[in-house]
Amino acid sequence: MIHVDAVDAGPGGVGVGVGVHDTGPVTRRAALRRALRRAARPGPWKRGLVLATLALLLGLLMLLHAWITDRGSLGSLVETFLPWFGLFVPVLLAGALWRRSLSATLALLLPVAVWLNLFGGLLTDKSHAGGADLTVASHNVDADNADPAGTARDLAASTADVLALEEITPQAKPVYEKALAKAYPHHTVRGTVGLWSKLPLSDTRPVDTQQDVGPAGAAKPADVKLTDNRALRTTVATDRGPLAVYVAHLGSVRVLPGEGFWTESRDRHAKALAAAVAAEPNERMVLLGDLNGTMDDRAFAGLTSRLRSAQETAGDGFGFTWPATFPVARIDQILVSGVRPTSAWALPATGSDHLPVAAGIRW
């Protein structure tokens, strides 16, 4: 390496000298250190391995959700909120981009593909042109509803031909009957569930959903059981023939300390309701009600094997219904068999903590 040095040229002058200094070993050592530092840094495939692992676990969780143990109803809990697991994807993607990790970015393809396979169809409007032969609606009106008359007026304004109500209290029953009488000349109430119709009803009976079990349940008088009844079956006379309609309000689910996600009564009711549906002689059926669960939940396999969701078949979006102030799950369902849904939607909020749901069907 060449350096230019100033040298003393004696009195009155400055000399310039050219000197050659060997700095090669120093430079080589610095270059070697820089190379070692670069080699020690993780490359784009090695960075973000934790993020890549989390992405793969997320994808496997959604893909294999049916294999998750149902001890403590863990499987039901995961399946209830399964669509929301997709929110982890943009979070992990942001982390992958921040870390500039190719491995994490590539691993995210798995949860994205699984989520789109499970729920991608719900992102589009699947309603069909041509209108409907019959419009049905269902609403859990909430036992603590402070304005049942207002709720009834809102529901009547929906112009549904058949309207199912759940969680009817003895105090609110006459209010609903009075407010809906003009729009719906036919109605039936069995315990806490009822059906209002513009068309004649027949062959109405309560459905035993195994609400009362064990010695205490067996000892209950029939009139007491009927008061607490949570499901009914009736026939609606349409110009296309009879339509079997079921209305149900299955047991609630709870998160209990030490027990986890408690679904015992809901699951028992769902199994009994599925047995009633399986025994139904009319191939044209509609099930309306608050089932306290999403159709991804394994507890409803007996129902979904025979009935299909109007929302999933002909709806627009997820159609979440609960809680009404910020819906995060669709637990209010319209399921059909032998008829074709043409549209499905959630109605505006009422005084209830649930949103009403409606669907158009055709023969």
Side-chain angles (χ1 to χ4, degrees):
M1 189 171 185
I2 300 175
H3 292 270
V4 178
D5 297 322
V7 298
D8 186 1
V14 176
V16 178
V18 178
V20 178
H21 302 280
D22 184 8
T23 60
V26 176
T27 303
R28 286 196 294 271
R29 285 196 296 272
L32 180 60
R33 285 195 295 270
R34 288 195 296 270
L36 290 174
R37 283 197 297 269
R38 283 195 297 268
R41 296 173 187 165
W45 290 103
K46 293 182 179 180
R47 287 195 294 267
L49 291 180
V50 172
L51 291 171
T53 301
L54 291 175
L56 292 174
L57 290 175
L58 175 63
L60 291 173
L61 176 67
M62 292 190 292
L63 179 65
L64 305 175
H65 65 87
W67 292 79
I68 298 174
T69 178
D70 212 28
R71 179 175 297 177
S73 296
L74 177 62
S76 286
L77 178 61
V78 169
E79 288 161 345
T80 295
F81 299 102
L82 197 58
W84 292 94
F85 280 75
L87 292 179
F88 290 110
V89 170
V91 174
L92 292 173
L93 178 60
L97 294 176
W98 180 66
R99 293 281 290 143
R100 288 181 286 181
S101 169
L102 290 178
S103 58
T105 303
L106 185 62
L108 279 169
L109 293 176
L110 176 62
V112 169
V114 174
W115 192 93
L116 288 175
N117 180 65
L118 291 173
F119 306 111
L122 295 174
L123 300 179
T124 60
D125 185 355
K126 297 174 293 301
S127 58
H128 307 287
D133 295 324
L134 194 73
T135 300
V136 298
S138 177
H139 191 25
N140 179 327
V141 293
D142 186 4
D144 297 322
N145 192 327
D147 184 19
T151 295
R153 288 192 297 270
D154 292 340
L155 294 172
S158 72
T159 69
D161 300 298
V162 175
L163 172 64
L165 301 186
E166 305 88 46
E167 212 165 291
I168 302 170
T169 64
Q171 297 77 21
K173 177 185 173 183
V175 178
Y176 290 116
E177 290 176 328
K178 180 180 179 180
L180 295 172
K182 183 177 179 180
Y184 298 97
H186 310 279
H187 88 280
T188 181
V189 176
R190 294 292 188 274
T192 63
V193 296
L195 190 75
W196 277 257
S197 175
K198 296 179 180 179
L199 303 170
L201 304 176
S202 63
D203 193 20
T204 302
R205 60 180 181 272
V207 175
D208 183 9
T209 55
Q210 297 295 308
Q211 182 176 346
D212 298 304
V213 295
K220 274 190 177 182
D223 58 336
V224 175
K225 288 185 178 181
L226 183 58
T227 301
D228 298 330
N229 180 69
R230 294 167 67 111
L232 67 80
R233 184 263 182 219
T234 191
T235 298
V236 177
T238 77
D239 57 3
R240 298 297 188 92
L243 175 70
V245 177
Y246 286 78
V247 182
H249 180 199
L250 303 188
S252 299
V253 297
R254 297 283 187 271
V255 178
L256 302 177
E259 296 185 33
F261 194 55
W262 184 82
T263 63
E264 180 183 343
S265 63
R266 193 277 312 271
D267 295 350
R268 185 175 69 251
H269 298 172
K271 186 176 180 180
L273 182 60
V277 167
E280 173 58 48
N282 191 339
E283 65 176 13
R284 293 172 177 168
M285 281 183 286
V286 174
L287 169 59
L288 307 163
D290 172 10
L291 303 189
N292 270 310
T294 70
M295 291 300 94
D296 296 307
D297 196 315
R298 65 193 67 184
F300 301 108
L303 291 171
T304 55
S305 64
R306 291 182 169 85
L307 304 169
R308 54 181 176 158
S309 165
Q311 180 66 28
E312 293 179 4
T313 304
D316 182 7
F318 289 91
F320 295 144
T321 63
W322 181 89
T325 51
F326 186 79
V328 298
R330 184 181 178 88
I331 63 176
D332 301 273
Q333 309 293 346
I334 298 177
L335 308 180
V336 304
S337 174
V339 293
R340 181 168 63 93
T342 60
S343 56
W345 63 97
L347 293 167
T350 70
S352 171
D353 58 343
H354 292 243
L355 294 180
V357 293
I361 60 174
R362 297 191 70 180
W363 270 250

